[in-house]
Amino acid sequence: GRWGASQGQTSGSPQRRSGSGSADFADASPRRLVLGASAGRTDPDLAPRAMGRKQKAMEVRHPSSDVGDKLFFLRTKYSLLGKAEWWWLMDDSLAEINARLESEHFVVIDGFLTGAHTRSLRDEIRDAHEHGHLAPGVLAGGKAGDSTQYTMRDVRGDHVGWFDGTERLEGVEWDTLPIAMKRADTLVNQLGAQPRSELATVSSRSKAMCTVYPGDDARYVRHVDNPDGNGRLLTALLYLNPEWEEGNGGELRVFRCLSGSGEAAAAGFVDCDGKSLESADRFDTRVKSGDLGATDEIVAVDARDVAEGVRDVATLRGGGENGETKPVRLTDVAPLGGRLVLFKSDARVPHEVLAARVPRYAVTLWYFDKSEVTAARAAPLSEAEREEQEEKIAREIKFMRLKHGVTSEPEVRIRDSQEGEWRDTGTTRPTPDVPGQCSAAWEDGDVIAITVPLPAGTCAADCGVEVDTSSSTLIIEAPGLERDVAGVNLPEGADEDSIAVKLSKKPTRALVVRVRCEPLAVPPTPTPHTVESPPPEPAPDLPPRTSVPATSAAKDCVGVGGTLSWSSSTDFSTLPSVPPREPGTAPRGIDLRDASDWEDFIQTRWALAGKDDEQPVLTPHALDGLSFPVTLAWSLQQPGVSEALAEKTRKKTRTDATFANLGDETAGTTPVVVVIAGASSFTEQHLLDRTRYWEEVTVAAPQPAGGVHLAFVGPDVASASAAARRLSPTITASVHRETVRDYTARVPNDAPLMIVGFNTGMGGGGGALARGWAPDLVETLRRTDAPAVFTAANDYADLRGELAVFKALGARFIVNPRTNPFRAFTHTIGEGEGEPGVRSAPREGEKWSCANAFVYAVRGFAEGKGPSAGLTDEQLCTLAAKAAERAAGAAWDALGMRRS
């Protein structure tokens, strides 16, 4: 070794700038240090301690890495030589530590502090905590984090204080902290002198961040210490838990991405990105080795013990659909007493602190790159940068709530300059009382978000929300609640029409209900914060959003409230616009053929608009309104319907003069004419006049040659003119107050034609309504090349009656009756066993109606039916009316209603 020292003598230690909070390395000369070690003493902490589960024989190959064993060998060697206390400063030890730090970006050094020093420093920090010198760890935005900071105990649950060992604090004597800091400085300086070491650029360090995780599952979610060029180059983490045992928690989990997609174990380590780290979010690290079960598809290499208290939990597969994600290795490091962990502070080593069940003590130092830290602190933030930082923090808070299931309310504090005093924002407001498993938190100051945990597999249709306006109570219906229902008193000033509901799927399923309230006035003179401001701390690492993430938490939207009696003041969410398709490129759209719910539409729809980094927020009325065009787009993709239309579009019919300016006027081909049969000015036409939702027909489905023309036809439309209007370059619309048979008579026989009837009610309204529809239905079925799609609001009356009508007419079904994946959300509860009214989901035993709840399609008459059976139109109409009358009678009986 390099040391020939007399006992107890130390010299040449790095110089500290008084009161600056950082150490200057310019005068450090560690080669002159004389470090004492008791001759012949071996390290008493060398007794092996197993970190966890016994390792079983693995069939997969693990990386060839004996670095951990080699460091243990070196430590043992110098312990036997009487140099146990300073084994890590021997030449071969330094070379090995540096090699591992440069190749793997982190290294674990056991026995950095003696057992006596470990316990002494632990006691010093415990005294500081008990005497109130530590404060909750903050999360800061920006490179310097100097204008706004916030705390969220569910995201970061530690208590910290920043010291250099010279402070005079009540109840605390800093005897060991300066010794530990000096040792770390010496090691880092020596590593910087190694060949090709990144640490050669280190010029200063932070004060010591003394940390206590108080137990009670306190944690710090995954983050990067230097996400934005704040100057941090190396993180040095010293653990002070001499009695730690497995089960106490508080392990450091390190995430490292590997290059190459072949043999992941043999690849080198590279910067991590958010998309690659998503695989770690989907991996349940609580399962035991050999019991991975459903996670096998993402695990490339199973768990293994690397060294004492260091375990590679798994290496997760990379690749993705286009090979865009990297393999990710998860390594857990136990916080053993006297252990020092060094790792690179940037995106190469994202990390987190797992939930601590007992108090966990540590000291952290950051070593700064000279040029980067100078640039980060060079200029004060401009007003625009400060506003940008505020917006970033607001996004961070939303992200943390969504991803990590945060229930605590953030405490935000600000200051006007780096020298100014911290003060709180003065916007704290009480949250409503919610059931025990639920949580409530404020967002953006005036939106209350109520989160209801859901059992695995729960879908949007299983949940519901409504408002009791008489008492301003929010009624939440969801599996897992007591009796599957709960009431929450809305805060004062709540806007009951602003309720929006989402089904969050990450990290666990939850129903999130948001209600906007009147803003809380900010006090004109905020109270100054009396806690001494710490140096900058790392902002949480927010991985970039990916296009259509597989576990997209906010894409499964549900709506609530109201009926379809829309008015001019109804709030329909605006959907993001989709960039126009370049000439000559293939039609684009969303594959809805096998869709199961709204998520299948919304995920891709936002991605088409280039807004995959946004969380879709749709009002209740928006989901009810979108049900119409998206159901039509879904129908256009069903095989029976698409094949019928393809037979006409393949003929490339020249555009008839009547349709010359309809659909895609540049195509020179007749558009697909879609007749919205029985349209009403209160629903289908209302959407046409006041939203752009009907454009989704050609956005959600690949547009056919010639485009699409929508004809809104029926006696209940309001139209002063039948002139066509252009909705987009490929879709037009017109309104006609006439019968369907009169309009379709003007459509050329060789033009692609489709009939759509939304919630006609012809099956549940009795014989009179069916007789009124019958002539149009007969004429529709005579157009054997025209598919006809119908939706029904319920199955016990409308659907049953309509099926009876079409069977009486002898229609051929090309899409069998089925539940519509894009039905509206609002349910109207009828008479029966339940309580009548309007709510977002029915209770057991209730009879309900929901717009577009069921869907089916017919095309022409079945063989040997209808006219081919010798029936006249009048006879067919009579059969239809009788069938509807019988079905309506059965429905009335089911509802317990009296027949007239």
Side-chain angles (χ1 to χ4, degrees):
R2 78 168 69 246
W3 311 103
S6 60
Q7 297 183 19
Q9 183 181 4
T10 304
S11 64
S13 60
Q15 301 298 310
R16 286 191 299 272
R17 287 198 294 264
S18 176
S20 66
S22 63
D24 191 342
F25 278 65
D27 299 327
S29 303
R31 292 183 181 272
R32 294 169 39 226
L33 288 178
V34 181
L35 305 173
S38 300
R41 190 184 67 179
T42 59
D43 190 341
D45 296 326
L46 276 174
R49 287 171 288 183
M51 175 179 178
R53 302 178 286 270
K54 293 182 179 179
Q55 185 174 356
K56 58 177 284 186
M58 299 295 174
E59 296 180 359
V60 295
R61 273 195 321 148
H62 291 296
S64 176
S65 173
D66 60 353
V67 174
D69 292 337
K70 189 168 184 179
L71 288 177
F72 180 81
F73 166 78
L74 290 169
R75 182 184 172 198
T76 304
K77 167 187 170 181
Y78 287 109
S79 176
L80 294 173
L81 293 175
K83 302 180 185 297
E85 190 171 351
W86 304 103
W87 75 268
W88 40 269
L89 270 180
M90 303 300 108
D91 285 340
D92 44 0
S93 299
L94 285 169
E96 192 60 53
I97 292 170
N98 182 68
R100 184 167 186 184
L101 184 61
E102 294 305 314
S103 64
E104 299 196 28
H105 309 317
F106 102 112
V107 61
V108 177
I109 306 168
D110 284 319
F112 183 75
L113 282 187
T114 66
H117 281 149
T118 298
R119 287 183 284 273
S120 175
L121 184 51
R122 186 268 318 270
D123 293 343
E124 291 172 14
I125 297 176
R126 182 162 55 192
D127 291 342
H129 186 216
E130 292 175 351
H131 285 81
H133 302 304
L134 306 187
V138 302
L139 304 162
K143 292 185 179 181
D146 62 348
S147 66
T148 305
Q149 295 179 338
Y150 63 99
T151 60
M152 296 180 78
R153 57 180 171 82
D154 292 334
V155 172
R156 180 178 183 180
D158 59 347
H159 288 73
V160 306
W162 296 80
F163 311 106
D164 61 13
T166 63
E167 296 85 358
R168 294 183 178 180
L169 303 175
E170 180 184 357
V172 181
E173 294 290 338
W174 294 120
D175 295 325
T176 313
L177 180 61
I179 296 173
M181 296 170 68
K182 186 179 297 184
R183 291 191 181 199
D185 293 346
T186 300
L187 174 60
V188 171
N189 191 276
Q190 283 290 291
L191 292 175
Q194 295 290 311
R196 297 178 298 278
S197 173
E198 285 187 60
L199 303 186
T201 62
V202 169
S203 62
S204 60
R205 63 152 166 78
S206 68
K207 287 185 176 183
M209 185 181 76
C210 299
T211 307
V212 178
Y213 283 82
D216 296 326
D217 288 336
R219 61 173 180 165
Y220 193 168
V221 302
R222 188 177 69 226
H223 61 284
V224 171
D225 288 354
N226 182 0
D228 52 9
N230 60 30
R232 290 172 174 172
L233 176 63
L234 180 75
T235 302
L237 182 54
L238 178 59
Y239 289 121
L240 308 169
N241 309 287
E243 292 88 21
W244 188 90
E245 316 180 327
E246 186 186 10
N248 290 348
E251 295 94 338
L252 175 72
R253 173 160 293 163
V254 173
F255 303 79
R256 289 173 296 159
C257 290
L258 298 106
S259 62
S261 57
E263 178 59 47
F269 294 99
V270 295
D271 282 11
C272 278
D273 59 90
K275 194 164 188 177
S276 298
L277 290 170
E278 282 186 359
S279 61
D281 294 333
R282 293 184 285 120
F283 174 64
D284 186 356
T285 53
R286 295 169 298 178
V287 298
K288 295 183 180 296
S289 175
D291 298 328
L292 295 175
T295 64
D296 282 338
E297 69 276 8
I298 64 171
V299 177
V301 180
D302 205 350
R304 71 175 187 124
D305 292 320
V306 177
E308 178 192 1
V310 182
R311 184 178 184 82
D312 283 347
V313 179
T315 299
L316 308 181
R317 300 183 190 278
E321 293 183 1
N322 301 311
E324 71 275 14
T325 61
K326 309 179 186 75
V328 180
R329 180 168 299 163
L330 281 63
T331 303
D332 283 2
V333 180
L336 303 181
R339 166 172 283 178
L340 178 71
V341 182
L342 302 179
F343 57 86
K344 302 297 175 62
S345 301
D346 56 17
R348 287 172 288 185
V349 189
H351 55 282
E352 68 177 315
V353 178
L354 303 184
R357 299 174 184 86
V358 300
R360 169 195 183 273
Y361 298 87
V363 169
T364 306
L365 298 167
W366 282 279
Y367 292 86
F368 296 99
D369 175 83
K370 183 176 182 179
S371 59
E372 187 176 282
V373 73
T374 301
R377 296 174 177 174
L381 292 178
S382 65
E383 187 62 31
E385 290 173 326
R386 198 174 299 278
E387 292 177 359
E388 182 181 354
Q389 189 180 97
E390 302 288 339
E391 294 174 358
K392 176 187 175 183
I393 287 179
R395 292 194 301 270
E396 287 178 1
I397 292 174
K398 285 186 177 180
F399 178 83
M400 293 299 181
R401 283 200 174 109
L402 179 65
K403 180 175 181 180
H404 301 291
V406 171
T407 60
S408 60
E409 182 67 16
E411 297 180 7
V412 183
R413 62 180 187 174
I414 61 176
R415 62 179 176 182
D416 299 323
S417 67
Q418 196 165 10
E419 294 76 26
E421 291 185 343
W422 292 102
R423 64 179 187 273
D424 62 37
T425 59
T427 57
T428 303
R429 54 195 307 182
T431 55
D433 293 331
V434 294
Q437 71 269 45
C438 305
S439 63
W442 289 98
E443 298 178 353
D444 298 333
D446 57 355
V447 175
I448 186 68
I450 300 168
T451 302
V452 183
L454 298 175
T458 304
C459 63
D462 300 326
C463 307
V465 182
E466 61 180 308
V467 178
D468 182 349
T469 56
S470 62
S471 60
S472 193
T473 301
L474 191 69
I475 308 298
I476 303 175
E477 301 169 353
L481 294 172
E482 185 177 356
R483 298 183 180 178
D484 292 341
V485 66
V488 177
N489 293 324
L490 291 175
E492 184 178 354
D495 181 1
E496 297 168 357
D497 293 329
S498 70
I499 296 174
V501 186
K502 292 182 184 178
L503 185 64
S504 170
K505 297 183 178 179
K506 186 178 179 182
T508 58
R509 283 188 177 259
L511 189 72
V512 183
V513 185
R514 290 181 170 86
V515 185
R516 186 169 297 279
C517 303
E518 293 180 358
L520 187 67
V522 179
T525 308
T527 304
H529 203 289
T530 57
V531 177
E532 180 183 357
S533 59
E537 291 191 73
D541 178 37
L542 302 183
R545 302 289 176 87
T546 60
S547 58
V548 196
T551 55
S552 176
K555 301 299 199 301
D556 192 350
C557 302
V558 296
V560 59
T563 65
L564 300 189
S565 57
W566 299 318
S567 68
S568 58
S569 61
T570 300
D571 180 18
F572 291 103
S573 303
T574 301
L575 274 64
S577 59
V578 175
R581 180 166 63 95
E582 295 295 331
T585 59
R588 62 191 175 191
I590 305 172
D591 187 354
L592 301 175
R593 288 172 294 181
D594 299 319
S596 58
D597 57 27
W598 276 104
E599 182 180 13
D600 294 314
F601 165 73
I602 295 172
Q603 279 187 349
T604 311
R605 175 60 178 82
W606 255 251
L608 285 175
K611 301 293 185 181
D612 37 299
D613 59 339
E614 293 186 2
Q615 299 174 15
V617 177
L618 299 176
T619 65
H621 298 302
L623 283 168
D624 288 339
L626 282 170
S627 176
F628 292 82
V630 178
T631 296
L632 174 54
W634 173 88
S635 302
L636 285 167
Q637 298 185 38
Q638 298 308 300
V641 176
S642 60
E643 291 166 5
L645 296 175
E647 293 176 8
K648 288 299 183 86
T649 55
R650 278 196 294 265
K651 297 178 181 179
K652 297 185 178 180
T653 307
R654 296 295 301 173
T655 305
D656 183 273
T658 308
F659 298 91
N661 297 317
L662 301 183
D664 187 349
E665 58 184 346
T666 65
T669 303
T670 302
V672 173
V673 179
V674 179
V675 177
I676 312 296
S680 166
S681 61
F682 298 107
T683 50
E684 296 93 340
Q685 188 183 358
H686 187 92
L687 294 173
L688 175 67
D689 293 339
R690 300 189 179 277
T691 76
R692 301 185 63 178
Y693 285 179
W694 286 109
E695 297 176 30
E696 297 302 309
V697 173
T698 54
V699 172
Q703 58 197 39
V708 173
H709 177 71
L710 302 175
F712 296 82
V713 180
D716 296 326
V717 298
S719 175
S721 170
R725 68 182 82 172
R726 181 159 295 282
L727 306 184
S728 75
T730 59
I731 186 169
T732 52
S734 57
V735 179
H736 307 269
R737 193 169 187 177
E738 57 184 320
T739 64
V740 172
R741 60 186 180 278
D742 289 340
Y743 179 83
T744 56
R746 302 196 302 273
V747 179
N749 288 329
D750 57 358
L753 175 65
M754 176 180 177
I755 312 296
V756 180
F758 293 106
N759 312 298
T760 63
M762 60 181 172
L769 186 56
R771 180 174 290 278
W773 270 92
D776 284 342
L777 299 180
V778 171
E779 186 61 30
T780 295
L781 295 177
R782 286 187 182 278
R783 296 284 295 255
T784 58
D785 55 355
V789 177
F790 294 90
T791 68
N794 58 64
D795 57 351
Y796 58 85
D798 291 352
L799 181 62
R800 178 182 298 179
E802 291 176 31
L803 296 182
V805 167
F806 279 109
K807 288 178 180 178
L809 292 173
R812 178 166 66 96
F813 285 84
I814 58 175
V815 176
N816 288 324
R818 55 160 293 172
T819 301
N820 180 12
F822 303 112
R823 70 181 184 184
F825 187 76
T826 302
H827 290 66
T828 301
I829 311 302
E831 297 180 38
E833 297 178 17
E835 178 184 354
V838 176
R839 60 175 65 97
S840 52
R843 301 188 182 102
E844 184 178 357
E846 292 179 331
K847 299 296 183 180
W848 54 268
S849 292
C850 174
N852 307 319
F854 300 93
V855 63
Y856 62 94
V858 297
R859 178 186 176 189
F861 292 99
E863 185 177 356
K865 300 291 184 179
S868 63
L871 298 175
T872 65
D873 288 359
E874 180 62 28
Q875 289 174 321
L876 289 171
C877 292
T878 300
L879 288 174
K882 291 294 185 182
E885 185 175 351
R886 288 193 297 272
W892 292 337
D893 290 342
L895 289 170
M897 299 170 61
R898 294 180 58 187
R899 301 194 195 189
S900 57

